[in-house]
Amino acid sequence: MSFRIHPHPIDPAPLRQELDGNEHGGLVFFEGRVRNHHEGRSVIGLHYQAYLELAEKEGRRLLEEISTKHGVRAAAIHATGDLQPGDLAVWVGAAAAHREEAFAACRELIDAIKARVPIWKRETYADGHGEWVEGCACGSQHSH
């Protein structure tokens, strides 16, 4: 199990390998990519910022909690810094003997990361304006 904050767009291949194994019948992955729009505005980029030490500590705690609860192996990584539309911003994976546990763990893990890990997102729009937006580490139940 690992949770990482990464200062660039993400390559999930190493984390997928961590979860690979003949004992797992269900492997579920979620990839959150930067989209080119938000609430009717054209987005040209995002900037993620994290409180690194606390983010990694809370991320590891979440992995342990969810892995124990669902009986899975899990891994996650979240990018920081400047990202462009199409870049991979967050990746979550769960592996279990059966798909039901893997699906449940993957869903719970991405929701918990957005609600509990201190990562903030600033969007930059095509009109040149930018703003910090709700959706990361702010207790929101919205899916941004």
Side-chain angles (χ1 to χ4, degrees):
M1 292 189 308
S2 74
F3 180 89
R4 297 181 206 138
I5 300 294
H6 188 66
H8 304 290
I10 298 165
D11 173 10
L15 290 174
R16 284 186 187 139
Q17 289 177 341
E18 272 186 40
L19 299 180
D20 201 10
N22 292 336
E23 70 276 17
H24 303 126
L27 289 105
V28 176
F29 307 112
F30 170 79
E31 294 185 349
R33 297 189 177 268
V34 177
R35 63 181 177 269
N36 65 358
H37 63 91
H38 180 216
E39 297 183 354
R41 297 176 79 178
S42 179
V43 174
I44 61 171
L46 295 182
H47 178 81
Y48 283 100
Q49 210 171 337
Y51 179 174
L52 186 59
E53 184 178 320
L54 185 57
E56 289 185 338
K57 182 178 179 181
E58 185 64 16
R60 286 190 300 270
R61 180 179 301 141
L62 290 172
L63 282 178
E64 187 176 315
E65 287 174 14
I66 291 168
S67 294
T68 300
K69 176 180 176 182
H70 294 284
V72 302
R73 288 187 57 189
I77 187 167
H78 201 298
T80 57
D82 295 322
L83 290 100
Q84 304 302 311
D87 286 344
L88 187 56
V90 61
W91 182 93
V92 173
H98 301 96
R99 68 179 177 268
E100 183 176 337
E101 294 85 3
F103 274 117
C106 192
R107 174 67 184 255
E108 188 173 336
L109 186 53
I110 188 61
D111 289 346
I113 288 170
K114 290 181 71 71
R116 292 175 46 187
V117 177
I119 300 170
W120 300 274
K121 175 172 67 173
R122 180 176 171 78
E123 291 183 335
T124 302
Y125 305 106
D127 65 9
H129 290 92
E131 62 185 52
W132 294 98
V133 296
E134 184 178 338
C136 294
C138 51
S140 170
Q141 295 303 312
H142 302 264
S143 59
H144 289 275

